[in-house]
Amino acid sequence: MSRTGTATAPSLRDRLRGQLADLKMPGALEALDDILRRVDGGELAAGEALAQLLGAHITLRNARRLQTAMRSARLPVVKTLGDFDFSFQPSVKREQIESLHTLGFLERKENIVLLGPPEVATYYVTSLCR
């Protein structure tokens, strides 16, 4: 109770912020204000708001896990497929390498073998005998 005799209850937003902080959900806490604004504006239903709130936390958690794994790996340089100079190694077929991200070789039960130095790896696809 306050000195005037009336107690002010924390707002729903404040209660949610406190609960998300207690649960250690910083991703959801960061997204909360925007999601509540969209709920208040009628853009989101309650179920979709919950899904987005949890999704924001999962996205942040996964990004942090990846950052931690990359730091732990102590790789000298992080390179992506976008950094690869296909003109440097003309025998490497760009379409084949870029198609690996679809993971179709897993469905076909094939192995991918990368050979050569890191800058100029060639690969072979082999079928699994099962």
Side-chain angles (χ1 to χ4, degrees):
M1 286 209 146
S2 68
R3 291 181 186 188
T4 60
T6 59
T8 56
S11 69
L12 173 62
R13 184 178 309 264
D14 291 338
R15 288 194 328 258
L16 289 171
R17 291 180 85 55
Q19 290 170 334
L20 293 172
D22 284 348
L23 290 169
K24 295 179 176 49
M25 297 178 71
L29 187 57
E30 185 178 308
L32 180 66
D33 288 335
D34 181 56
I35 291 171
L36 288 178
R37 179 190 56 74
R38 292 171 61 205
V39 168
D40 291 343
E43 297 174 44
L44 284 178
E48 184 60 29
L50 285 172
Q52 287 192 14
L53 195 66
L54 294 173
H57 178 68
I58 290 167
T59 298
L60 178 66
R61 183 187 63 190
N62 289 342
R64 286 183 174 176
R65 282 183 181 170
L66 179 60
Q67 288 173 344
T68 300
M70 295 298 285
R71 276 194 307 270
S72 296
R74 296 184 183 168
L75 298 171
V77 178
V78 176
K79 293 186 177 185
T80 65
L81 187 57
D83 299 330
F84 188 79
D85 182 10
F86 286 94
S87 65
F88 178 74
Q89 184 64 24
S91 65
V92 175
K93 296 178 183 156
R94 181 183 208 118
E95 299 79 30
Q96 285 181 326
I97 297 295
E98 289 177 345
S99 73
L100 294 177
H101 82 279
T102 65
L103 303 177
F105 62 92
L106 293 174
E107 293 171 9
R108 295 186 304 271
K109 297 182 181 177
E110 295 173 337
N111 292 325
I112 302 299
V113 180
L114 301 170
L115 302 173
E119 306 84 30
V120 189
T122 57
Y123 77 98
Y124 297 93
V125 178
T126 59
S127 294
L128 293 173
C129 298
R130 288 191 187 222

